[in-house]
Amino acid sequence: MMLSASSAPVTRSSLEEMLESLRQRDEALERAKDLPPALPARPTSRARLPSARLSLPTDFKVGANGRLEGKVESILESKVESVVLGSKLLVSVDDIRVEEPKRKELECRIGSFGSRKMRKVMDSTDSNPYVQEMNQQCRGSPIGSMPTINEVEWEDSIGYFIRKKLSVWCQLSNGMWASGKIQSTSGDETYVALANGNVVNVPPGQLLPANPEILDGVDDLMQLSYLNDPSVLHNLKYRFTEDMIYSKAGPVLIAVNPFKDVPLYGNNAMDAYRQKDMDWPHVYALANTAYEQMMRDGKNQSLIISGESGAGKTETAKYAMKYLAALGGGGGGMEVEMLQTNCLLEAFGNAKTLRNKNSSRFGKLIEIHFTSLGKISGAKIQTFFCEQSRVVQVGDGERSYHVFYQLCSGAPSLLKEKLNLKAATEYKYLNQSECFEIDGVDDALKFQKLQEAFDLLRICKEDQAQVFQILAAILWLGNIKFQTIDNENHVEVLADEALANASKLMKCTAQGLMVALSTHKIRAGSDNISKIKTLQQAIDARDALAKFMYGNLFDWLMEQINKLLDGNQNTWGSINILDIYGFESFKKNSFEQFCINYANERLQQHFNRHLLKLEQEEYEEDGIDWTKVDFEDNQECLDLFEKKPLGLLSLLDEESNFPNATDLTLVNKLNKHLNINPFFKGQRGRAFGVRHYAGEVVYDTNGFLEKNRDPLHSDFIQLLSSSNCKLLQSFASQKPDQTLRSLKSSLSQPGSFL
Ligand SMILES: Nc1ncnc2c1ncn2[C@@H]1O[C@H](COP(=O)(O)OP(=O)(O)OP(=O)(O)O)[C@@H](O)[C@H]1O
């Protein structure tokens, strides 16, 4: 968080630079063609044939029952970068087992059919290499006689499906999709026989073509003839039930979170992908392609991982890192240190939320550097705003950052004594949610691992001691109480154990801390006048100090890690992995969601423009005929955020500069200037809505101005400067740049992102 209302100088990250170069490329293309990019239809040439199927890993067999909620995550890999999108999927898992005949059947099915487009340009099976090859592949297949391409009639319109009584998807009154067969029609009525035997009357507008069964389980969604929502979800579910959690959608990799161990990882699988014995969709395959392209073309690569909270982004990023560490290992042991950073990052940056017991509360970009021989020469980790509000406020059923609980339960008695440490239940910042433990997680053991990681990352004992002191100081700060001294709610600090311990651990005087917490100085002409705070002001100030200390501690740790991983300057190329928070929409959405969703809106635009253009280029290169389909551009929504002077960000900044402005005056201003914008939706009270690409989100402006200004009074800066703790002193002398505000300003700088 920033210290003052003025903009911090924003250093351009490599992510920004990378995305800017993409943007420039996109713009150049746009200028040249001035045409909207088109979604390609299914390919018509052999050039797009799926590669030959290879066998599954020998250890591939799983069995499970039950019903669970899975998450879908997708990764786009391209020459220069990759994108991941996410969505949620309800899947029910019945019998999951991959048997030999089934496997063969799947192998034959994959790639066996092209598209309706294909049918239009092909008259004879004999002259079609695609079909010839598939027929050859499927000869002797256990599924028996598969229809050939000219036995299957393809047609776009649902009318045709109704006439021919084909299989369809129908949307039921509860919104769910069910598959069935057209049974009969009468006037506008269409009767569909569902798989469960029921017959339902569905209006034609709620029917969509279903793919032939033969396409069930294709590993690339682009091989489906009909790419509608239920068909895509059905295919993902079909694969998921076989424990094939990865699928492709052209150059995008989709991962469905299995929420259990699946035998898809480990050294055998790594070797198989490395030696090209396997080409089933997998994050290893994606990482392998990135590595090979970097080595072959000398171009830096990026994997952009995205998905909603709990989708499996961080796990996916870790698998990609592990694979790359295995490929580029042996260059001096840097890969071991790189992997160890995860332990530290998770302790300080992850927390239990209602959706994920190990949720990353920050975004990160990991750059892995390689020598010209393909060995890892170093790495760099950039983090994007750590959710500091969690340090002082935790929702029901959630926890603060793991490290606090690890320290409280795992610190050896000598350290506990030194820090006057009590159990987690004794600290207000931790006990407000009454959630202290996570099933299956041993915090004390994690503390030992944390200490080992500190040692391995060569953070000296003296620095480690300061880190633990600051953590304990934050906990004690939260226990500081105030008592009112007049009927205007003015306060003084209660001189109790909490004040004594906090000041001792912060290495400043108790008196100094008391004064900084209960008073603030105002400039009146050339004089400074000291004013006593009200209860709310004092609580806000105490919490701001705790957040500031934690935010700076997190940034300092990143600095130490980066110093260590810097390695030598012998970097030839790099692979970047972006693990960024996904689109968020809760019951109550605040400034944090506003920034996160804005970042995702930006990523979505990049995805739309870059991916579709890239595919189009590839089709052009292959000489493939395709049908142009307009895609939904989210530029207008981005304009709502970015337009100057009347966009959401400009108006927010303008209002933040008025000392008497309130969240209500902010929302009035937004309503006044943006009400006619179709992407803005005025709401009652202090809320406003935005029509994002992923849906409408209503934001509560409560706290918007305060968070956007993010002030830390000069009294605290003085207090920290006077501290005998070197780390705290250093925090006072620098402004953090990993803040919401810096994220916001870096995204909104012209050309700085995408
Ligand atoms: N490939 C996988 N295999 C097995 N379990 C997985 C896999 N991916 C994710 N999970 C499970 O799902 C949980 C959540 O995954 P993860 O923390 O990666 O989600 P995320 O998308 O990064 O969430 P957040 O945005 O909240 O940080 C993991 O703790 C793990 O239990």
Side-chain angles (χ1 to χ4, degrees), residues 181-214:
K181 242 186 173 141
I182 304 287
Q183 195 183 57
S184 61
T185 52
S186 141
D188 270 355
E189 317 251 87
T190 309
Y191 293 91
V192 182
L194 302 181
N196 62 9
N198 290 347
V199 176
V200 285
N201 178 2
V202 187
Q206 276 159 11
L207 293 173
L208 287 172
N211 288 284
E213 249 182 56
I214 201 82

Side-chain angles (χ1 to χ4, degrees), residues 71 73 245-246 255-262 264-265 283 305-319 346 349-351 353 355-362 364 579-582 584:
K71 312 275 169 82
E73 174 189 352
I245 64 165
Y246 295 108
V256 183
N257 189 343
F259 286 106
K260 63 174 184 181
D261 286 337
V262 280
L264 297 175
Y265 310 104
V283 63
I305 306 176
S306 167
E308 64 178 332
S309 180
K313 298 181 294 292
T314 306
E315 292 300 316
T316 304
K318 284 196 282 189
Y319 285 124
E346 290 190 9
N350 287 25
T353 65
R355 311 182 107 208
N356 183 357
K357 62 185 183 183
N358 187 29
S359 181
S360 313
R361 308 313 297 162
F362 64 103
K364 64 173 180 283
D579 172 8
I580 197 161
Y581 22 67
E584 291 189 348

Side-chain angles (χ1 to χ4, degrees), residues 11-83:
T11 329
R12 279 165 54 119
S13 70
S14 55
L15 167 70
E16 289 159 4
E17 278 168 13
M18 171 186 90
L19 292 171
E20 186 185 348
S21 72
L22 288 174
R23 190 172 96 125
Q24 284 168 357
R25 212 184 90 161
D26 286 350
E27 277 177 2
L29 279 169
E30 196 115 45
R31 273 195 300 279
K33 294 179 189 158
D34 203 27
L35 284 171
L39 182 71
R42 268 7 103 231
T44 58
S45 97
R46 195 187 168 93
R48 299 281 297 176
L49 277 174
S51 50
R53 294 295 86 212
L54 297 165
S55 57
L56 282 159
T58 46
D59 54 352
F60 190 87
K61 70 170 168 4
V62 191
N65 286 303
R67 186 176 170 81
L68 58 87
E69 211 182 14
K71 312 275 169 82
V72 183
E73 174 189 352
S74 63
I75 304 175
L76 169 145
E77 196 285 324
S78 77
K79 289 185 186 98
V80 194
E81 87 293 347
S82 310
V83 178

